[in-house]
Amino acid sequence: MKRARRTPTGAPVARRNATRRRPTRPAAPAAIIISSVLVLVLAGIAIFVVPPIHRAVFGSGVASGQEVRVTIPDGSGGDTIAGILVGAHVIEDPKDYYAAVTALGAEQSIKSGSYQFTTGQDAESVVRQLMEGPNVSGLKVTVPEGLTVSETAAKVQDALGVSADDFIAQAKASTYAADYPFLDGVAHDGYDTLEGFLCPKTYTFEKTPTVDTVIRAMLDQYAKEYAALDFSGAESLIKSRYGLDMSDYQILIMASIVEREGLTDEQRLNVASTFYNRMRDGMALQSDATLMYETGGEVTASDIQTIESPYNTYKNSGLTPTPVCSPSKNSLKAALAPADTNYLYFYITSDKAVFSETYDGHLAAIGENSQ
């Protein structure tokens, strides 16, 4: 459905990409080659010429000696590292960075991770620290509720310097099922993901962790906080109230949709009830939240009509094949023990929440609250 439209609604990200064989490309025309060379020349000007000119005319605008923290992601090249350091005003000229790297023979010795530097620092001292490794202890990453695997990977890379691409590639249920029983059977029908299981929390690591270390910390937290909940009792309640047979994984999927739809804990209890009622009555969920997982952005009327995907719950009945985010504990509790209502529709905005038992009532709520 939609918030502020016709049925329930939600939010974002993470597409599945099909692997396709690329046709052999013909040789690039001379004009394209010249254009590419021009782009590289302009990029070089942007990195090595523009900053010094800008400083000479305007100054850096940042006082020296201020403490700043920067993170160098895994696999970063020289231009990326220089750009990060210049952007944080640790050094002011990328040429100084490259000169220091050459002078110290540091080309193959730079380590990824989080560092504490000061603005206006001597380039050689910066490079020496990058060779020694991260100097920030107790590295932290905060993973909010409602993030997808891809969004979590980006947070981890920004905070810890762990490659987002490596994180996404590693975040497969089959990789961890042997050590975490709640993942048994999650990899199915071409879907092999930890979506929904990367527990929201602030995590602290003594040093730059590996991808595996980060993922295991999140799964350990899920086991501690979520898997201890009474899924069995909830499944009995849902069966008796709605006539639905739900597995632990299906309840997690429901919780992820509820997370994206409701804005408060009270709303989430009613959103969960609405969705269970619709499933009981054989109605499609009609949730923007599930389709936004496919599109990565706002859902249009055209998307609803044309996108053929199991995440399009306007075209398909029942739940999606995987969660659409990692839900909060309260969203999971709402999916485990929803409010007992007859609601079939809801209209939720930032300051309005109206639940209705009939479509006419739903239309009236939209009319009254969308002026």
Side-chain angles (χ1 to χ4, degrees), residues 71-142:
T71 298
I72 307 300
D74 281 346
S76 295
D79 288 350
T80 299
I81 297 171
I84 291 170
L85 295 173
V86 170
H89 298 283
V90 174
I91 58 174
E92 294 297 343
D93 191 334
K95 289 188 290 186
D96 293 342
Y97 168 77
Y98 279 106
V101 168
T102 301
L104 297 171
E107 291 84 352
Q108 305 301 318
S109 303
I110 302 298
K111 296 179 175 63
S112 62
S114 293
Y115 293 84
Q116 191 83 29
F117 291 121
T118 58
T119 55
Q121 194 168 332
D122 173 69
E124 285 201 8
S125 70
V126 171
V127 172
R128 285 194 182 93
Q129 185 63 63
L130 292 172
M131 294 171 69
E132 292 175 11
N135 62 351
V136 177
S137 61
L139 299 177
K140 292 184 179 182
V141 58
T142 298

Side-chain angles (χ1 to χ4, degrees), residues 38-53:
L38 179 59
V39 168
L40 291 174
V41 170
L42 291 174
I45 291 173
I47 294 174
F48 295 105
V49 178
V50 173
I53 292 175

Side-chain angles (χ1 to χ4, degrees), residues 230-244 246 251 276 334-340:
D230 186 8
F231 280 83
S232 173
E235 286 154 18
S236 296
L237 180 149
I238 293 166
K239 175 66 174 178
S240 63
R241 185 186 294 174
Y242 305 102
L244 300 172
M246 299 283 287
I251 289 177
Y276 282 127
L336 289 163
D340 189 2

Side-chain angles (χ1 to χ4, degrees), residues 190-212:
Y191 297 94
D192 187 4
T193 177
L194 290 177
E195 199 71 79
F197 292 100
L198 301 179
C199 194
K201 185 180 178 289
T202 295
Y203 296 89
T204 302
F205 303 92
E206 290 304 314
K207 58 182 180 179
T208 302
T210 65
V211 169
D212 181 69

Side-chain angles (χ1 to χ4, degrees), residues 21-60:
R21 181 170 296 177
R22 296 173 180 263
T24 303
R25 295 184 179 180
I32 294 177
I33 294 173
I34 292 171
S35 176
S36 299
V37 172
L38 179 59
V39 168
L40 291 174
V41 170
L42 291 174
I45 291 173
I47 294 174
F48 295 105
V49 178
V50 173
I53 292 175
H54 185 276
R55 284 195 310 279
V57 177
F58 301 105
S60 70

